Amino acid sequence: MEREGRAGGAASGELVTIGEFARLSRLSAKALRRYDELGLLRPALVDPVNGYRYYDPAQVEGARLVAWLRRIGMPLSRIGRIVALDASAAAVEIRAYWARVEAETAARRDLAMYLVDHLSAEGGAMSRKLGSTDSTDSTDSTGSTGSTGSTGSTGNAGGAGRTGSSGGAEDTGSRGGRGRSPGSGVPGGHGVPGGPGAVRLAIRCAALTDTGSVRTTNQDAAFAGPRLLAVADGFGEGGAEASAAAIEALKPSAWGGGDDALSAADLLNALEDTADSASRAVRDAVAPCADPDGSGTTLTAMLWTGSRLGLVHIGDSRAYLLRGGELFRITHDHSLVQSMIDDGSLSREEAASHPGRALLLKALVGEARSAPVAVACRPDVGLREVLAGDRYLLCSDGLSAVVDESELRAAVIAAEAPEEAVRRLVGLAHEAGGPDNVACAVADVVIAAEV
């Protein structure tokens, strides 16, 4: 009798019991009760006497959507926001979520490959040690090239019109390796080549920020010093405070950078620690804002130990490497349009005018609660191969969004020194209309002067 009543109710479009709705939606009654408790899928009616739950068959699609989102691993808190949206807005949220998952998976893959390379090299070195009676035949498994030479004064650019550089090293390769062979093709790799007899390297650098031609305030920040190169692009009410706080958290005094080169493993740990410090610093900086979730910053930074370069990156600011006359982008934008380019649904030409080009998938933001699109999460970290003659460019989207990479390459190659390079680059942004704040930092990897 009860079964007949359920079937009749479903056929007529009337409310059905939880058992019948479970059959229609292909969810268990236990799952439906759980979704009710969490507010994800409320019954259409709860009997006030016996507490029985009754559902409208029209709720089936919503129930299936919850089940599908759980199947891709989406947290219940985010599912709760999505099921309250219309179809178009829900599609945007799901795309943003999955792009973030893929970005974080790629970051974990890079870390896994680094660990494979590092442990393989360490195992090879140990095998050579065990098979040799001469300790000088062993290989330094960390690939260290020795500590950096004197770099002199440091420079910091946190506001419009300010530049800075670190000098004192013999500039034997400060033009981005023009005329050099890149050696191993497209730059990449984990760690750096080194060992006994390897040359000692240092960096020369400069940074500059500018308000641009349209904005009245500057929320970008940049820093250039012998141990750190960084740019940050703040947004929201506390954007200026967020960008400044993120960079301050990465300065050598915060992560323990000293005169001695860190091992690869120690540097990777330091990068993880400083990334967490930057996240906390931003949350603290924007806490007084009326909407902390709506304030935050991107961050792209390089930490230099004298033999290795560590990369910290989140958001859509960028890092480029000039090597062998070619300019390579070595960061991946954490943005909605980049995810659409990656899955083939949007061309690079279309991305330039897409209405959602400013939407970030990852950024350092305020409170732990997820912002509507830009969500707080840990930055990507990694290690970079370093060669004398390399030139690195870090910039906010106030430059990269309005100046073609071919123009960036020409400007970076033409500049004799980092100070000239940052001035040229800011000038290009102004020539393109200067619609946004601009931040850029340039560093040359050079042979250190003899100590």
Side-chain angles (χ1 to χ4, degrees):
M1 190 73 179
E2 182 182 358
R3 180 177 299 176
E4 292 176 359
R6 287 201 301 264
S12 64
E14 298 174 355
L15 299 185
V16 296
T17 65
I18 189 171
E20 176 65 9
F21 191 74
R23 185 188 68 78
L24 293 173
S25 62
R26 298 186 179 182
L27 295 172
S28 68
K30 180 179 179 181
L32 290 173
R33 285 191 288 270
R34 175 65 172 159
Y35 294 162
D36 179 17
E37 293 169 358
L38 294 172
L40 298 179
L41 186 67
R42 297 291 193 188
L45 175 67
V46 177
D47 191 303
V49 177
N50 55 32
Y52 288 169
R53 295 172 173 87
Y54 295 90
Y55 291 82
D56 188 329
Q59 293 178 278
V60 167
E61 286 303 314
R64 289 175 178 171
L65 176 59
V66 172
W68 292 330
L69 294 176
R70 288 296 292 154
R71 191 173 297 177
I72 65 173
M74 184 177 288
L76 290 171
S77 59
R78 189 158 187 168
I79 293 176
R81 294 200 307 274
I82 289 179
V83 296
L85 300 174
D86 61 44
S88 297
V92 170
E93 279 284 327
I94 295 169
R95 178 187 291 278
Y97 168 76
W98 192 248
R100 177 188 171 189
V101 169
E102 291 184 327
E104 292 177 346
T105 300
R108 290 195 296 270
R109 180 195 62 221
D110 290 345
L111 176 57
M113 291 302 98
Y114 159 73
L115 293 173
V116 169
D117 292 345
H118 177 66
L119 294 174
S120 297
E122 191 173 73
M126 182 60 70
S127 298
R128 285 190 290 274
K129 287 180 182 179
L130 294 175
S132 172
T133 59
D134 184 355
S135 62
T136 60
D137 290 341
S138 65
T139 301
D140 178 5
S141 64
T142 64
S144 173
T145 60
S147 60
T148 184
S150 172
T151 54
S153 61
T154 64
N156 173 5
R162 297 176 58 197
T163 62
S165 65
S166 58
E170 180 183 355
D171 189 353
T172 60
S174 64
R175 300 179 188 177
R178 289 179 289 180
R180 289 178 55 92
S181 169
S184 59
V186 176
H190 310 281
V192 296
V199 295
R200 294 159 66 181
L201 304 175
I203 61 172
R204 290 191 170 204
C205 51
L208 179 65
T209 71
D210 189 87
T211 305
S213 304
V214 176
R215 302 290 178 89
T216 57
T217 59
N218 191 358
Q219 294 186 311
D220 283 9
F223 181 86
R227 296 287 184 183
L228 174 67
L229 198 72
V231 298
D233 180 359
F235 56 84
E237 176 190 352
E241 292 79 6
S243 60
I247 291 180
E248 190 66 30
L250 295 188
K251 289 185 178 179
S253 60
W255 60 274
D259 292 334
D260 296 329
L262 295 175
S263 69
D266 287 343
L267 178 55
L268 200 60
N269 287 337
L271 291 173
E272 293 281 359
D273 291 343
T274 53
D276 289 342
S277 295
S279 297
R280 289 193 298 270
V282 169
R283 287 198 297 271
D284 292 343
V286 303
C289 297
D291 180 19
D293 283 349
S295 294
T297 185
T298 69
L299 177 65
T300 301
M302 289 183 165
L303 283 67
W304 172 252
T305 69
S307 64
R308 289 180 177 79
L309 201 58
L311 178 66
V312 177
H313 170 67
I314 188 168
D316 62 356
S317 294
R318 294 180 176 180
Y320 295 88
L321 165 63
L322 182 69
R323 180 181 290 176
E326 296 296 326
L327 188 69
F328 303 93
R329 176 150 62 104
I330 59 175
T331 54
H332 196 73
D333 291 351
H334 299 137
S335 65
L336 180 63
V337 295
Q338 182 64 60
S339 72
M340 296 174 72
I341 292 172
D342 293 342
D343 67 20
S345 61
L346 195 70
S347 70
R348 294 189 181 277
E349 293 73 23
E350 292 170 332
S353 58
H354 192 277
R357 61 186 179 277
L359 295 178
L360 298 177
L361 301 179
K362 293 173 68 175
L364 300 178
V365 298
E367 295 182 0
R369 299 191 309 272
S370 296
V373 176
V375 294
C377 50
R378 175 175 290 179
D380 297 341
V381 299
L383 303 182
R384 297 295 309 176
E385 176 189 5
V386 179
L387 298 176
D390 287 347
R391 172 169 281 181
Y392 288 91
L393 162 65
L394 277 58
C395 65
S396 64
D397 67 343
L399 177 65
S400 61
V402 298
V403 178
D404 291 336
E405 286 192 6
S406 60
E407 294 182 84
L408 291 180
R409 174 180 174 273
V412 173
I413 288 177
E416 292 292 325
E419 295 87 349
E420 179 186 350
V422 295
R423 286 194 294 268
R424 282 177 178 263
L425 293 167
V426 170
L428 287 176
H430 273 279
E431 290 174 12
D436 198 358
N437 303 153
V438 184
C440 58
V442 173
D444 291 337
V445 180
V446 301
I447 305 295
E450 294 294 331
V451 178

